Amino acid sequence: MNIYEELQQEAYENNIILKEVALKSNSDGLYYDGKIAINKNRLTSNKKKACVLAEELAHHYTSYGNILDLDDISNCKQEYKARLVSYDKLIGLNGLIDAWKNRCRSKEEIAEFLDITIPFLDEALECYKNKYG
């Protein structure tokens, strides 16, 4: 079972409705009130879908209300928290250590080992750098 399938199972077990649909917006995914939509037009690989689904699941666990207006500092904080939860779920410090122990030395090798996208890894590394120094 790949990570996307595991996340789909997690959604199912938590009674979250998950659908891959053509969204009218440029969003990769949206969460609202126990429902997650993954933009099937923008996301073609399971790696990309897994990265987006992890964040949308994190919104289910950590966010409340409409947080689309990122000019509101409270919404920005909720977005940051959901992203951090998704980074920890798919990568985490232990994942980086495991990648190193498995002789992954480039971002490409680490992303492949963790079954995530390079942009997701880049964002996570920047977040971890800001958080941990």
Side-chain angles (χ1 to χ4, degrees), residues 41-89:
N41 291 340
R42 291 179 48 90
L43 304 174
T44 55
S45 74
N46 280 349
K47 282 183 185 184
K48 291 179 182 178
K49 290 176 188 177
C51 295
V52 171
L53 181 52
E55 183 177 339
E56 299 310 325
L57 283 169
H59 281 298
H60 172 76
Y61 302 127
T62 66
S63 302
Y64 57 90
N66 180 343
I67 65 167
L68 293 175
D69 178 10
L70 294 179
D71 290 331
D72 182 328
I73 191 72
S74 174
N75 294 350
C76 289
K77 288 179 180 181
Q78 288 188 71
E79 184 66 32
Y80 176 80
K81 185 173 184 178
R83 286 191 182 190
L84 184 58
V85 168
S86 69
Y87 300 149
D88 288 343
K89 178 182 278 300

Side-chain angles (χ1 to χ4, degrees), residues 20-31:
E20 292 183 26
V21 296
L23 295 174
K24 293 177 184 175
S25 71
N26 285 331
S27 297
D28 290 335
L30 295 170
Y31 171 79

Side-chain angles (χ1 to χ4, degrees), residues 45-51 90-91 107 110-112 114-123:
S45 74
N46 280 349
K47 282 183 185 184
K48 291 179 182 178
K49 290 176 188 177
C51 295
L90 296 187
I91 302 170
K107 284 193 285 190
I110 295 168
E112 185 66 30
L114 296 172
D115 202 23
I116 58 172
T117 65
I118 293 170
F120 188 83
L121 176 62
D122 286 338
E123 292 168 10

Side-chain angles (χ1 to χ4, degrees), residues 90-106:
L90 296 187
I91 302 170
L93 296 178
N94 286 333
L96 295 174
I97 292 167
D98 289 344
W100 181 260
K101 287 179 178 177
N102 282 277
R103 304 194 190 301
C104 299
R105 297 300 183 258
S106 68

